[in-house]
Amino acid sequence: MDVTVEVVGEETQAVTVDDDGTYADLVKAVGLSPHEVSVLVDGRPVPEDQPVEVEQVQVLRLIKGGRA
């Protein structure tokens, strides 16, 4: 399945996942860790271990670099 993954405020990528792919798989495919983001479907968070059932998601980064 082809899924459009929008990393909010950054970039949008097309990702292909297996039929049994999870939202964590999508996050990893765009180079992020499931521990640093929330995946949103229609504006609502979804569990990272849930199978992907939609063609478009948003990824909201919860941790972002800054000054130390």
Side-chain angles (χ1 to χ4, degrees):
M1 167 186 270
D2 292 329
V3 180
T4 301
V5 180
E6 175 194 354
V7 180
V8 177
E10 295 181 30
E11 62 185 350
T12 299
Q13 294 184 33
V15 175
T16 301
V17 292
D18 295 331
D19 291 338
D20 60 347
T22 65
Y23 290 104
D25 294 331
L26 286 179
V27 170
K28 291 174 188 173
V30 295
L32 298 172
S33 166
H35 301 290
E36 66 179 307
V37 302
S38 284
V39 178
L40 307 175
V41 173
D42 296 327
R44 297 178 188 258
V46 294
E48 66 185 50
D49 60 350
Q50 182 175 329
V52 178
E53 299 176 342
V54 297
E55 294 180 359
Q56 185 169 355
V57 301
Q58 288 183 309
V59 174
L60 181 63
R61 290 184 75 153
L62 303 175
I63 302 170
K64 193 158 183 150
R67 292 183 174 187

